[in-house]
Amino acid sequence: MTTPLQTEIEALLAEAFSPTRLEVINDSASHRGHAGDDGSGESHFTLVIESEAFTGKSRLERQRMINRALGDIPGERVHALAIRAFAPGDG
């Protein structure tokens, strides 16, 4: 089931990066009862995104670009966000 925050993350990333691949995976259920679990079911996510916007960018630059696009979501509305960002043709 897609959650409201998951839908918001998908929309923000689609608008910012026009990705050729985008997966927003809600991992919150596997962290139930652990640190950062606020009981909302929207505390832990994994992103897999591929976009031309990441061509020539380092891993850190890509993560910063994503965090900027997501605004207050990382660190404030989501406890943990794992990011796997690729440019087309990356291994």
Side-chain angles (χ1 to χ4, degrees):
M1 180 174 133
T2 303
T3 64
L5 187 54
Q6 186 175 358
T7 301
E8 183 179 352
I9 291 169
E10 290 170 352
L12 288 168
L13 294 174
E15 181 179 330
F17 301 110
S18 300
T20 52
R21 177 180 176 197
L22 177 60
E23 296 177 53
V24 179
I25 303 153
N26 186 337
D27 298 319
S28 302
S30 59
H31 295 276
R32 197 167 283 136
H34 298 167
D37 174 31
D38 61 5
S40 71
E42 296 187 300
S43 60
H44 294 72
F45 288 88
T46 297
L47 305 179
V48 180
I49 183 170
E50 178 183 86
S51 173
E52 288 286 344
F54 302 134
T55 301
K57 306 289 187 204
S58 71
R59 181 177 164 211
L60 181 59
E61 288 172 315
R62 294 171 184 187
Q63 290 183 353
R64 286 178 175 160
M65 291 167 68
I66 290 166
N67 285 333
R68 274 192 301 272
L70 294 177
D72 71 339
I73 293 174
E76 291 186 32
R77 296 169 56 197
V78 169
H79 173 72
L81 184 63
I83 299 172
R84 294 178 43 214
F86 306 94
D90 281 358

